Amino acid sequence: MIDPPENFIPFSTTRSEKDFDTIEVNLKGFGFTEDDLKVEVEKKILTISGKRTLENKKCSQFSQTFPLSKNHSDPTQFILRFGGEVLYVAMPKKNPLVVTQVVKENNNKIQNAALNLCLAAAVLVALSVSIFKTILRDRDGGGGGH
């Protein structure tokens, strides 16, 4: 077997689907194990790198970066799979329908709370007027016909 180059850029592809994007990094024939690979996200940049020591004590290594869009969900939700030849990084997309639904539900809750507050205020005003009329009637002599 020929040693892989010390520094190289593996062939990679990006696929976009409805609910997620997937990056595939082809490492076939380079001899990497899962422990040799690192996937990191910093400031909306996904970095996939790998490093392994060769028999001649030199290192074979690579590093690739991929920009993330605002449509990707939290990186802790990314799904990684490595079968010895290809590293797959599946990045779920945020579902705008879910976000919109949550906003609508929250708006409905706020509107309902505001309506309930208005109704409670109206009841308090009506009670206050009734109590005030009763106090005036009692003060003026019992409220019967003079």
Side-chain angles (χ1 to χ4, degrees):
M1 177 172 138
I2 299 173
D3 281 339
E6 292 179 32
N7 294 304
F8 67 99
I9 299 173
F11 178 75
S12 62
T13 58
T14 304
R15 287 183 295 131
S16 185
E17 309 218 3
K18 179 183 171 192
D19 296 325
F20 57 90
D21 292 330
T22 303
I23 296 172
E24 298 177 12
V25 180
N26 187 338
L27 298 168
K28 185 176 183 176
F30 290 104
F32 283 91
T33 67
E34 192 171 320
D35 292 335
D36 298 328
L37 304 175
K38 195 184 324 183
V39 178
E40 301 173 300
V41 175
E42 187 175 329
K43 296 181 182 177
K44 291 298 209 178
I45 301 290
L46 174 72
T47 301
I48 299 173
S49 59
K51 183 177 182 178
R52 75 177 193 94
T53 304
L54 304 174
E55 289 179 15
N56 60 9
K57 302 207 187 228
K58 292 184 179 180
C59 285
S60 178
Q61 59 188 4
F62 73 93
S63 181
Q64 285 185 286
T65 59
F66 303 88
L68 298 177
S69 77
K70 62 183 177 184
N71 295 330
H72 291 120
S73 65
D74 179 358
T76 62
Q77 302 299 311
F78 289 6
I79 301 164
L80 308 174
R81 191 181 80 210
F82 181 62
E85 295 183 350
V86 179
L87 172 65
Y88 297 91
V89 180
M91 303 169 292
K93 294 179 181 177
K94 293 178 184 173
N95 187 338
L97 297 176
V98 171
V99 172
T100 301
Q101 184 63 30
V102 168
V103 169
K104 284 182 181 177
E105 288 174 6
N106 286 341
N107 284 342
N108 288 340
K109 288 177 184 177
I110 291 168
Q111 288 173 348
N112 287 339
L115 181 61
N116 288 338
L117 283 173
C118 288
L119 291 173
V123 168
L124 285 174
V125 168
L127 283 172
S128 297
V129 168
S130 177
I131 291 170
F132 184 67
K133 285 181 179 179
T134 301
I135 290 171
L136 286 177
R137 187 179 59 230
D138 290 346
R139 186 189 75 183
D140 292 338
H146 273 30

